[in-house]
Amino acid sequence: MVSGLSKAFGPVRAVDDLSFEVEPGVITGFLGPNGSGKTTTLRMLLGLISPDSGSATIGGRGYSARTRPNSDIGAVLDAAGFHPARTGRNHLRVYCTVNGYPPSRADEVLALVGLAESGKRAVRGYSLGMRQRLALATALLGDPAVLVLDEPANGLDPEGIVWMRELLRHLADEGRTVLVSSHVLSEVQQLVDHVVIINRGRLVQQSTLVALAEASSRVAVRTPDVEQLRAALDRAGAHVEQSKPDSLQVTGLTVAEVGHHAFAAGVELHGLAAEHGELERMFFALTADTEQQPETMSGRVR
Ligand SMILES: Nc1ncnc2c1ncn2[C@@H]1O[C@H](COP(=O)(O)OP(=O)(O)OP(=O)(O)O)[C@@H](O)[C@H]1O
Ligand SMILES: [Mg+2]
């Protein structure tokens, strides 16, 4: 849980009065463009840097107030920093020793992340995707209830992303809290249930992915009476754009609602269809580099 969190680096307000909540049992995507403050927020959540104001807590406590933080929270902020000459397995065994886990735990997590074989090789020969897997294995060593991953899909091939999705889904289904950051919505779109979207350190959206998809989908409607339909939809609070002389694109209403308003206004329709696949457009609109959010995006998603 993040509440009123702020952090500035000199003149840069990296995180600016940010508040959001993350629930157990679901995968939450923490999204924002490069430099929007994701890593800075996660670093505060993990007690690596201290906030200027506000708080970032997990289960009501700050990370540094925990006695055994590794068992409560598993985190990957950076899939680098492995000793290049060590094997993946040895890397994990060092962590086991430091944290008091049995050495057999290293092999368990290697199997979990699909590195059972490669674990015997030196890390210097690992691809970026393999490093991501090893980092994830490290985070899972303590069987944590909360998993925090910074850009975990970065460097994974499509197959790796599918694998990651299944693993994270499994972990969330066990009731764990899973928070994954990304600067590309499309990369985690298949992965997350909830989204927290930030821009310039500020919250711009917190909702389920389904709600975001609904809000970003448009309805295409064709009518011989464009003006009258436009007036009716405007009255209903929709955002309406004319795409062709006889067609409108409507944001903020469902297909059924558009049909209903047309019917109520006595407007003849020649076509009515939902347009999907607009999530990425929504993400760009939400994180566009302006102070003002587009009117179609405000107050529509809960
Ligand atoms: N240690 C630091 N010193 C100075 N400025 C910093 C420091 N860490 C982050 N910043 C600045 O804070 C802002 C937010 O950075 P942050 O790394 O949190 O963004 P991000 O959302 O994780 O970006 P990316 O998607 O590129 O990883 C940026 O403007 C960055 O330059
Ligand atoms: Mg980052």
Side-chain angles (χ1 to χ4, degrees):
M1 161 138 173
V2 170
S3 175
L5 194 67
S6 297
K7 178 78 183 179
F9 297 104
V12 180
R13 295 170 83 167
V15 176
D16 193 2
D17 195 19
L18 181 64
S19 302
F20 64 87
E21 252 180 274
V22 181
E23 291 167 30
V26 294
I27 304 172
T28 302
F30 186 38
L31 307 167
N34 289 136
S36 55
K38 302 181 297 295
T39 301
T40 304
T41 302
L42 298 182
R43 284 165 62 84
M44 289 190 275
L45 193 61
L46 297 169
L48 297 172
I49 51 173
S50 51
D52 294 339
S53 56
S55 64
T57 53
I58 300 176
R61 282 186 296 170
Y63 187 88
S64 44
R66 289 166 184 276
T67 44
R68 295 187 47 131
N70 291 315
S71 303
D72 298 338
I73 305 154
V76 180
L77 288 196
D78 193 353
F82 301 117
H83 194 298
R86 243 180 226 147
T87 65
R89 188 159 178 255
N90 274 342
H91 161 82
L92 291 169
R93 287 189 161 213
V94 170
Y95 271 81
C96 286
T97 308
V98 170
N99 291 293
Y101 311 134
S104 58
R105 183 70 190 142
D107 293 317
E108 283 171 28
V109 292
L110 277 176
L112 206 56
V113 302
L115 286 181
E117 279 307 307
S118 316
K120 296 169 193 152
R121 284 168 35 202
V123 170
R124 80 161 71 78
Y126 280 22
S127 67
L128 181 54
M130 288 162 76
R131 282 166 204 263
Q132 288 279 24
R133 288 175 189 235
L134 182 58
L136 183 56
T138 314
L140 290 172
L141 272 177
D143 198 17
V146 178
L147 199 57
V148 176
L149 309 174
D150 197 13
E151 307 265 355
N154 195 10
L156 291 183
D157 51 25
E159 195 189 334
I161 290 183
V162 171
W163 162 80
M164 167 86 59
R165 174 172 74 219
E166 282 166 8
L167 178 60
L168 295 185
R169 172 64 53 210
H170 174 71
L171 293 167
D173 284 348
E174 288 177 334
R176 294 173 215 261
T177 304
V178 182
L179 181 64
V180 293
S181 83
S182 180
H183 61 283
V184 248
L185 174 61
S186 56
E187 199 175 63
V188 293
Q189 193 174 328
Q190 311 291 328
L191 210 74
V192 303
D193 309 303
H194 287 191
V195 291
V196 172
I197 303 179
I198 63 169
N199 191 30
R200 296 167 164 223
R202 303 187 69 99
L203 185 74
V204 292
Q205 185 79 262
Q206 167 157 233
S207 68
T208 64
L209 187 70
V210 170
L212 187 68
E214 273 171 11
S216 62
S217 69
R218 291 190 288 202
V219 177
V221 57
R222 209 152 63 83
T223 173
D225 197 354
V226 166
E227 283 318 310
Q228 218 190 322
L229 181 60
R230 178 192 268 274
L233 295 173
D234 279 344
R235 279 197 301 278
H239 178 73
V240 185
E241 275 171 42
Q242 185 154 1
S243 49
K244 288 189 212 132
D246 66 342
S247 300
L248 297 175
Q249 271 180 330
V250 188
T251 318
L253 293 178
T254 63
V255 169
E257 286 166 340
V258 172
H260 170 78
H261 289 298
F263 180 74
V267 176
E268 183 177 332
L269 295 188
H270 291 173
L272 182 61
E275 288 182 348
H276 296 293
E278 298 288 334
L279 259 184
E280 200 67 22
R281 183 183 60 85
M282 177 72 142
F283 181 60
F284 283 134
L286 284 171
T287 57
D289 221 359
T290 57
E291 294 300 320
Q292 181 111 43
Q293 294 305 320
E295 59 176 300
T296 52
M297 310 304 170
S298 60
R300 292 238 157 255
V301 182
R302 276 168 290 274

